[in-house]
Amino acid sequence: MFTPIVIVSRTLTTAVRCKRRVVVTGIGIVSPLGIGAQNAWQALINSKSGITKLSKPEYEKLPCRVAALVPKGDGPNQLNIDSYFSKSELRTMCPATAYALIATEEALNDANWKPEAETDKQDTGVAVGIGMIDLVDVCTTYEALKKGYNKVSPYFIPRILPNMAAGQISIKYGFRGPNHSVSTACATGAHAIGDASRFIRGGETSVMVCGGAEACISPLAIAAFCRLRALSTNKNDFPYEASRPFDKDRDGFVMGEGAAILVLEELNHALERKAKIYGEVLGYGLSGDAAHLTAPSEDGTGAILAMDRAVKDAGIETVEITFINAHATSTPLGDAIELKAIESFLGQHSKNVTVSSTKGAHGHLLGAAGNLEAIFTILAIRDGIIPPTLNLHNLDVETNLNFVPNVKKSWNSTSKRVALKNAFGFGGTNACLCFAQYNE
């Protein structure tokens, strides 16, 4: 029997369009560095790498034969996806959606937020994106069609739609707040977090589950990125050395997969239920390069605009920033332009700022990069530790910025810790997030 839903009317107090404070109260990770946020964080700050060799025969003739895969198995810090889902459930979703659901469960448990009341469910939204669909799904289904129309799975379309991770999360937990999905290439995860924070700040909702997921590593995807000359090809026999942001021997990025989910919450909502607070989302900036399909603008204007808008949105001064978690994917052009943009933006304050890229450890998760690295930025703020940039031995640019080659370092700051997280995507789309320690 159908039970009618009672629509909760929002008062002017809860719906007022004002800049409410947004904090992070839960995190969840499925990544090449391991399963679980704390496992991945410890691996990162202990200079571990999640990049491995692609040993299957179909990769043998490709220029790039390394990738950052989610570790599979029954061992500690490994993922056995069959222990989370039935076979029938797995038929309805692509691997990226499965990763997102697993990371979401961890994040909600971490935040202690699984509401039963309809009012709370209506006040909880989802903003989770996917950067690229699974090309294997498309190829396999096309081959199935050759055998007959009835061989095409009825779940094919739901599996490849980029918004289905958000949809599945909403359905599983009954969240009826904003249901949103962004797909902006490698800026997807950061845009999802920023958009979610704006929903809360604007009074649309009190809680948002947000982030991104990616699981598109396949021979076709590797081949296609190789044709763009985007991937590393010089370290196939030494996979741990392949991703080397800022290093003069970098030759391209390493594809990665996984998901990272954050629970964002309006501050008073979090305080009322005595939730633990990791940090605060202060600002969010977006921009477009308007320059090239795949290359960043040479003068770094797009990156500068995104950082400037994030800082202005945060209502802080540039001198308050002491750490930047860079987008830096390990491409010769992109890393250099980003450093140029950062130093141009910071000016004389550059000498007081440390820059790091964690992609040396986990590769480039494309649509799940900005959100995974956002969580690492938040944990850096919490613990006062700046994670290392692996394989950084020889910087190839002259700069006043500080770096963290190969080994973590303490984040010494006389005031509260404030950081920026950059994320840039093909098509010239840019995002920057500003995070800080939470102070009452």
Side-chain angles (χ1 to χ4, degrees), residues 319-338:
V319 293
E320 297 179 56
I321 300 160
T322 48
F323 170 47
I324 295 181
N325 189 323
H327 178 69
T329 63
S330 187
T331 59
L333 186 64
D335 291 15
I337 290 176
E338 183 175 8

Side-chain angles (χ1 to χ4, degrees), residues 363-400:
H364 186 13
L365 273 66
L366 307 179
N371 47 307
L372 175 65
E373 294 155 29
I375 289 180
F376 289 149
T377 304
I378 291 161
L379 293 175
I381 288 170
R382 182 196 68 177
D383 294 348
I385 295 173
I386 298 181
T389 302
L390 295 195
N391 302 310
L392 176 53
H393 302 292
N394 296 292
L395 195 66
D396 69 341
V397 296
E398 291 186 10
T399 177
N400 291 319

Side-chain angles (χ1 to χ4, degrees), residues 83-95:
S83 67
Y84 290 89
F85 306 100
S86 67
K87 289 183 179 180
S88 61
E89 287 174 326
L90 287 173
R91 282 196 291 269
T92 71
M93 66 184 76
C94 67

Side-chain angles (χ1 to χ4, degrees), residues 140-392:
T140 302
T141 302
Y142 182 68
E143 291 302 316
L145 177 60
K146 292 179 181 179
K147 299 176 183 178
Y149 158 77
N150 290 330
K151 298 296 183 182
V152 175
S153 168
Y155 296 112
F156 173 61
I157 296 300
R159 284 173 62 92
I160 65 170
L161 289 176
N163 74 309
M164 276 300 167
Q168 291 261 20
I169 292 165
S170 174
I171 291 166
K172 179 176 180 179
Y173 299 101
F175 297 151
R176 304 183 194 276
N179 189 276
H180 178 64
S181 179
V182 58
S183 184
T184 48
C186 306
T188 295
H191 277 138
I193 296 168
D195 291 350
S197 71
R198 286 189 173 177
F199 291 145
I200 295 172
R201 283 167 49 176
E204 309 262 357
T205 188
S206 295
V207 183
M208 287 295 297
V209 177
C210 60
E214 201 75 84
C216 62
I217 297 172
S218 68
L220 178 55
I222 294 284
F225 277 111
C226 281
R227 290 290 290 160
L228 279 175
R229 298 183 179 179
L231 298 186
S232 172
T233 59
N234 292 339
K235 296 290 183 179
N236 288 327
D237 293 326
F238 304 95
Y240 290 0
E241 300 177 10
S243 182
R244 40 197 323 113
F246 309 125
D247 189 81
K248 72 177 183 64
D249 293 326
R250 66 188 183 276
D251 70 318
F253 71 80
V254 174
M255 285 185 71
E257 63 174 6
I261 299 294
L262 300 83
V263 177
L264 303 187
E265 199 163 340
E266 192 273 323
L267 175 60
N268 290 325
H269 188 277
L271 292 176
E272 285 173 8
R273 65 183 196 88
K274 297 180 173 57
K276 71 172 179 292
I277 295 174
Y278 284 97
E280 186 169 1
V281 184
L282 288 187
Y284 173 40
L286 308 86
S287 74
D289 281 352
H292 191 271
L293 285 176
T294 58
S297 55
E298 292 184 5
D299 58 3
T301 300
I304 293 170
L305 285 171
M307 289 185 284
D308 183 59
R309 289 165 182 169
V311 170
K312 287 177 178 174
D313 186 49
I316 63 171
E317 298 296 329
T318 306
V319 293
E320 297 179 56
I321 300 160
T322 48
F323 170 47
I324 295 181
N325 189 323
H327 178 69
T329 63
S330 187
T331 59
L333 186 64
D335 291 15
I337 290 176
E338 183 175 8
L339 288 182
K340 178 181 177 181
I342 290 171
E343 190 156 23
S344 176
F345 172 63
L346 294 173
Q348 292 297 316
H349 182 55
S350 296
K351 63 181 182 295
N352 303 313
V353 175
T354 300
V355 176
S356 183
S357 171
T358 60
K359 289 185 176 77
H362 54 68
H364 186 13
L365 273 66
L366 307 179
N371 47 307
L372 175 65
E373 294 155 29
I375 289 180
F376 289 149
T377 304
I378 291 161
L379 293 175
I381 288 170
R382 182 196 68 177
D383 294 348
I385 295 173
I386 298 181
T389 302
L390 295 195
N391 302 310
L392 176 53

Side-chain angles (χ1 to χ4, degrees), residues 34-52:
I35 314 305
Q38 297 306 322
N39 290 332
W41 173 241
Q42 289 303 314
L44 176 66
I45 62 175
N46 289 323
S47 303
K48 305 295 184 183
S49 174
I51 299 172
T52 59

